[in-house]
């Protein structure tokens, strides 16, 4: 039984087949040159002897070969996630290994292998990166390691029976990155613009002595006359405002860009923005909708709110229905009575598509501050930038320019009714969404 198991783990390397082919070629030449015949047999005996020596080196001795895969607890969707493989060499000589990991089917990676040389009695750890493009469960299969001696004629396969499931969540890496930038006040390095504050928010904090650099418009003249020195009013930002990320999960969000659907871009952006909102002492909430309302998390800033939002976003998927904005308006009116900032992630390709939903958007904007976030079609931009070479390409370019122009008309149409909008490329969605939130906060228009 043990011998049968070892035979199943035996593999002959390509190098051995190349040598064997060379020996066969010498035998064929010996028909033309008889003096080669004896020399060829000597080479054959040497080849067999070396092959047997290689097998003895690989299969004898009670050595315990170790190989282990280490994955993160969860993958971050759309990001490069590190996976490490740790291999220990128990042999008294340096070994050459080829690692074939049975990756999850979602990656469709059919030619994955890693080749390394590991010194005597050493442990080697090496990393590779995986970029998932959809949320859900990713199942790793077995880890196959093919070990060869320095002779490289044969290989022995070691298989770990360890299988692993790694859940893929919305982009928490992106969330942590922006969190650190917010703490260190380095958001502007990522293109987040500082917005000039227009006036003051209405939340008065205290009267204090004037120091160099204070805004002279805040001087409190009554307190100044009473204290016989300059006194100024100090204000603070209005805090604990309700901010909701409203995500359309209808068919318009199924469109893919760079491997991710528009819904995945929206979910990643909503997760990052929720973190920024809570750090700004506002209340973050979430709502998803299509034909009906899906997930709903009331706007709060208590402990564990980010975890609740992340768990709700984990299983959100698009469907192939047209989203019901009328139902969205009715549910918002019934469930969210306090005026809030609504960041609506959706997509409109044509002006006619917007006009069908415009009455409901106007109704929502009466009760809340509504920001419609939708996407540029980057595929059309690529067509517009190319130089047409024939009549058909000119026609395609004209049509692409028409659709791109309609996107700008949609922005103007929303502005006409006092509805804010963000027209952005999918890869810039997170930065542009944070910019709009910070702008609204700075202007105190909520």
């Amino acid at each position: 039984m043990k011998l049968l198991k070892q035979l199943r783990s035996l593999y002959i390397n390509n190098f051995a087949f190349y040598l064997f082919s060379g020996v066969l070629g010498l035998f064929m030449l010996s028909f033309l040159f008889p003096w080669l015949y004896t020399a060829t047999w000597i080479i054959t005996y040497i080849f067999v002897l070396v092959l047997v020596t290689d097998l003895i080196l690989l299969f004898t001795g009670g050595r315990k070969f170790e190989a282990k895969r280490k994955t993160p607890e969860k993958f971050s969707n759309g990001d490069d996630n590190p996976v490490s493989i740790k291999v220990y060499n128990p042999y008294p000589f340096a070994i050459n290994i080829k690692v074939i990991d049975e990756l999850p089917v979602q990656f469709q990676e059919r030619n994955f292998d890693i080749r390394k040389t590991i010194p005597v009695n050493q442990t080697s750890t090496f990393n590779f990166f995986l970029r998932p493009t959809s949320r859900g469960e990713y199942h790793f299969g077995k880890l196959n390691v093919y070990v060869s001696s320095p002779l490289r004629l044969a290989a022995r396969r070691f298989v770990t029976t360890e299988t692993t499931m790694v859940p893929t969540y919305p982009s928490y890496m992106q969330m942590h990155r922006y969190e650190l930038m917010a703490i260190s006040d380095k958001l502007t390095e990522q293109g987040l613009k500082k917005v000039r504050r227009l006036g003051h928010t209405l939340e008065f904090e205290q009267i204090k002595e004037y120091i160099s650099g204070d805004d002279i418009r805040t001087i409190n003249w009554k307190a100044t006359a009473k204290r016989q020195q300059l006194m100024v009013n100090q204000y603070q930002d209005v805090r604990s405002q309700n901010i909701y990320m409203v995500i359309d999960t209808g068919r318009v969000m199924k469109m893919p860009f760079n491997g991710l659907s528009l819904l995945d871009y929206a979910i990643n952006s909503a997760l990052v923005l929720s973190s920024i909102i809570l750090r700004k002492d506002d209340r973050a909430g979430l709502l998803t909708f299509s034909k009906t309302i899906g997930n709903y998390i009331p706007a709060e800033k208590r402990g564990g709110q980010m975890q609740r939002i992340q768990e709700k976003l984990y299983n959100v998927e698009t469907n192939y229905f047209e989203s019901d904005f009328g139902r969205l308006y009715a549910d918002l009116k019934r469930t969210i009575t306090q005026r809030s900032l609504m960041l609506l992630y959706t997509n409109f390709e044509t002006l006619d598509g917007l006009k069908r939903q415009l009455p409901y958007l106007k109704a929502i904007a009466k009760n809340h501050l509504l920001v419609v976030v939708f996407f540029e079609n980057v595929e059309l931009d690529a067509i517009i930038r190319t130089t047409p070479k024939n009549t058909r390409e000119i026609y395609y370019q004209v049509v692409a320019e028409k659709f791109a122009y309609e996107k700008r008309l949609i922005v103007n149409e929303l502005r006409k009714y006092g509805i804010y909008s963000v027209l952005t490329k999918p890869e810039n969605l997170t930065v542009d969404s944070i910019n709009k939130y910070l702008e609204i906060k700075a202007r105190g228009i909520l």
Side-chain angles (χ1 to χ4, degrees), residues 85-220:
I85 295 177
K86 183 178 180 181
V87 178
Y88 170 68
N89 175 16
Y91 288 93
F93 49 83
I95 60 173
N96 303 290
I97 64 169
K98 181 172 77 169
V99 179
I100 298 180
D101 197 353
E102 297 177 2
L103 301 179
V105 295
Q106 291 94 329
F107 294 111
Q108 290 296 297
E109 182 63 60
R110 304 180 188 278
N111 297 308
F112 177 85
D113 67 77
I114 299 174
R115 299 172 188 266
K116 295 286 183 180
T117 299
I118 304 179
V120 180
N121 294 323
Q122 295 290 320
T123 299
S124 178
T125 302
F126 40 92
N127 298 327
F128 61 94
F129 293 88
L130 297 174
R131 181 179 180 266
T133 56
S134 61
R135 287 161 287 110
E137 296 182 350
Y138 283 64
H139 294 269
F140 286 83
K142 297 177 180 180
L143 182 66
N144 303 273
V145 182
Y146 296 83
V147 177
S148 299
S149 74
L151 299 176
R152 297 176 179 265
L153 296 182
R156 181 179 180 182
R157 185 179 72 166
F158 293 89
V159 180
T160 63
T161 56
E162 176 187 3
T163 58
T164 308
M165 190 283 288
V166 181
T168 298
Y169 279 77
S171 181
Y172 62 85
M173 286 185 179
Q174 197 177 111
M175 179 187 70
H176 294 327
R177 183 167 64 249
Y178 280 100
E179 277 182 352
L180 292 173
M181 291 178 184
I183 293 171
S184 59
D185 199 24
K186 293 182 178 179
L187 287 173
T188 52
E189 295 179 5
Q190 293 295 313
L192 302 185
K193 57 189 177 184
K194 292 183 178 179
V195 180
R196 184 171 62 90
R197 189 180 299 275
L198 301 180
H200 294 286
T201 53
L202 300 178
E203 191 167 335
F204 172 78
E205 185 176 11
Q206 64 177 346
I207 299 175
K208 69 179 188 71
E209 294 181 6
Y210 174 84
I211 59 175
S212 178
D214 283 340
D215 190 346
I216 61 174
R217 294 174 298 176
T218 63
I219 294 177
N220 187 318

Side-chain angles (χ1 to χ4, degrees), residues 279-382:
R279 289 196 171 276
K280 293 290 184 181
D281 291 319
D282 283 329
R283 294 191 289 262
L286 173 72
L287 188 145
T288 64
F289 77 101
S290 179
K291 291 193 71 174
T292 59
I293 297 300
N295 297 308
Y296 170 62
I297 300 177
E300 296 175 343
K301 64 173 183 177
R302 61 179 179 172
Q305 183 73 347
M306 275 306 304
Q307 183 65 27
R308 283 188 288 274
I309 291 175
Q310 191 174 34
E311 291 297 332
K312 288 292 185 181
L313 291 175
Y314 171 68
N315 287 320
V316 173
E317 296 292 342
T318 57
N319 54 48
Y320 294 95
F321 297 110
E322 184 172 355
S323 298
D324 189 344
F325 282 77
R327 180 67 177 270
L328 172 65
Y329 163 69
D331 285 330
L332 287 178
K333 188 174 180 63
R334 183 177 64 255
T335 59
I336 305 176
T337 56
Q338 182 178 351
R339 179 174 172 81
S340 307
L341 170 59
M342 298 285 176
L343 286 150
L344 173 59
Y345 292 90
T346 185
N347 196 36
F348 296 108
E349 289 294 334
T350 64
L351 190 59
D352 289 337
L354 170 70
K355 288 183 176 179
R356 288 198 300 269
Q357 313 300 345
L358 193 55
Y360 306 114
L361 298 178
K362 290 162 58 178
I364 294 172
K366 289 181 180 179
N367 301 318
H368 305 281
L369 181 61
L370 178 61
V371 178
V372 177
V373 184
F374 61 110
F375 300 88
E376 295 181 19
N377 193 323
V378 294
E379 299 293 336
L380 294 182
D381 291 343

